[in-house]
Amino acid sequence: MSNINGKVYAMNAITPMRPWKTWILRAIFFILGNVKPLQSDLINLSFIQFARWVIIPRNSFPFVGAPQQRELLEYDYLLFFSNFNGTWNQYIDAFSAVLSKGLDLVWKWSEKFPGSTPVTIFKEYITRVQFDTDYYYTAYPHATANDVKNAHIVQQTFDALNRNAATMSPDQFREAYLQFVLSVQTHLGATGEAPIVF
Amino acid sequence: MSKLNATDIQGFVLRGYNMPFARFCFLHFEDAESARKLVGALLSSITTGQLWDQGKPQSTLNIAFTFKGLVKLDLPLATLISFPVEFQEGMKSRSGILGDSGVNAPEHWDAVWRDETGASEVHAWLAVHALSAEALDARATDLFTLVEKIGGVRVLDTQDAASIVLDGNVTTKEHFGYTDGFGNPDYLGIVRKSQPGQGKLMPDGTWVPLATGELLLGYADEAGELPIAPMPHLLGANGTFMVYRKLHQNVGTFRRFLDEWSARYGAGDAAAKEKLASKFIGRWRDGTPIEISPNTPDSAITQDPNRSTNFTYGSDTGGARCPVGAHIRRVHPRDAFGFQGRLINRRRITRRGLPYGPYAASDDNSPDMDSVERGVVFMALNASISRQFEFVQQQWINYGNDAHVGNEKDPLIGNHMPGERFVIQGDTNPSNPPFVCAHLPNFVELRGGDYFFLPSMTALGMIAMNLVDPR
């Protein structure tokens, strides 16, 4: 029972929407989904592994038959799910500082959404609508998204060097090795324990 | 924004005094009444932010309190619990968060910071800055006479600090030989010679001052909010929080490391040594930013306030000029994390500090150079210790994910465990090779400190008169 596993935090937030507003959000999602540059700010926040918003219409909740009773829901729901590296505060601070327009566009259709700035009121809102994680598996608790991406780059670059190295002359290898180091030199960070959450 | 009420703000907050001598005195209050009496007696001689029309005074005086000091002063409970949690806890309790472990752990601190019984815990910081050693002694003597006369207050310890004098010139160098003190932020409303590179970066590439609330309580911060401050408003407004850290410098270890590793990095000569030293910090030892002048120090840049700290890292994402893990690129990343710096504007701190201890001459070969008492008294001012200082210390100095270097720490001031390294990015030029410094030792060790509240003049008056009401 924890939202945190090593360097990763899993956040779930569920917010109710008046059904007529859901259509507006669908249109916004269509545009955001098809105009990739609009996603760039979110993607460029490198400590976010992923973030996804999903609309759950009020008639789409699971019904498995009797004895479960059919529910009559008045609201559609917006599920927000994100995994990120760093602290909850750091994450929301960054969201508010960098993505406030985009967040407002997605969340303003939810009931009682106060806006993503000022940040303290936004944090209070997230606290109210956040659901804690029951079980959370992560393959690399000592690695962040950056670490994993860096490791892939180092591995691929090394494999390429390795493939060609056997046939190189010493001088060629010297040059190839230098190029290899230059290609990986910003990707050599160590993995390890996460800092203490505060 | 209009000008701040400088006469209500302690001068130490608004400006670095640039005085070559300082003495920091740590006080213990035996009882609230004596402590209030002392604050009242000092009130008229505390240095405010008022401009010095007649030139610099011979000496200055400032005061700040730990949370335990405010408890001892009998502030109302409702007021005490309205202070930010990290301030209530104090720096020792935050050592896990700050990464102050191993040699930096509290059990290795100076005795004055290790009190376990409460009988001699630090309650207040009194700072005297002076233009001369004589003025410093005179002011301190007056101060101690007053403390003695009032009674009920003990001076637990004093810490002297002084600018390093080289060839008869007062310098801004620290013990590793780096020129220090560039790049403190500008804030709205604070009268100061503004320099490009010191505030926050705008989308058009210009620099403007940060919101006042990043430094002072009672004003809007960069998020447009008032920083968390004690109740009542008058107690907090125009005050700030200070982090005091005594940082011991292992000069012998540093010089040996440079000797040894510059022989692998380059030819091991002075040029290689200076280049390696510059890569650690991001500035040549004379202060020239290597981002602007990667091949050579250039005094024309350091002397020009329009250039000395006016640069960004956008065209050097690979770190070939300034390594991505270099000290100044970590603690003031400018545009390095993208978004025109918007991720860093609420993580800035104002640094005040002075070296302490004797400077080791360049031909000093004594084997126990590390054990000589010398280092830097580091003081950081910020509106929120947790959001600003603690974040920078934890995330950017003792960790590296934002800089995309994983768990790598600041090479110079990080708290290194065995086997840690610093990657210096390079290019195809043989004089600027990619290089890995492995087995980093601890160049710097923490010898103690605490979190302090630096109140406004109004607040000091309220404290002295016992007029702090929570509402």
Short mmCIF file of all heavy atoms in Angstrom, two decimals, chain B residues 40 253 283:
data_model
loop_
_atom_site.label_atom_id
_atom_site.label_comp_id
_atom_site.label_asym_id
_atom_site.label_seq_id
_atom_site.Cartn_x
_atom_site.Cartn_y
_atom_site.Cartn_z
N GLY B 40 15.32 43.77 23.12
CA GLY B 40 14.93 45.17 23.24
C GLY B 40 16.14 46.09 23.29
O GLY B 40 16.17 47.15 22.65
N THR B 253 43.22 17.43 0.37
CA THR B 253 42.57 16.44 -0.49
C THR B 253 42.28 17.03 -1.86
O THR B 253 42.52 16.40 -2.90
CB THR B 253 41.25 15.97 0.15
OG1 THR B 253 41.56 15.33 1.37
CG2 THR B 253 40.50 15.01 -0.76
N ARG B 283 33.28 27.58 -13.65
CA ARG B 283 33.99 28.85 -13.81
C ARG B 283 35.48 28.58 -13.64
O ARG B 283 35.87 27.73 -12.85
CB ARG B 283 33.57 29.88 -12.75
CG ARG B 283 32.16 30.44 -12.92
CD ARG B 283 31.88 31.49 -11.84
NE ARG B 283 30.51 31.96 -11.87
CZ ARG B 283 30.08 33.01 -12.61
NH1 ARG B 283 30.93 33.66 -13.36
NH2 ARG B 283 28.81 33.39 -12.59
#
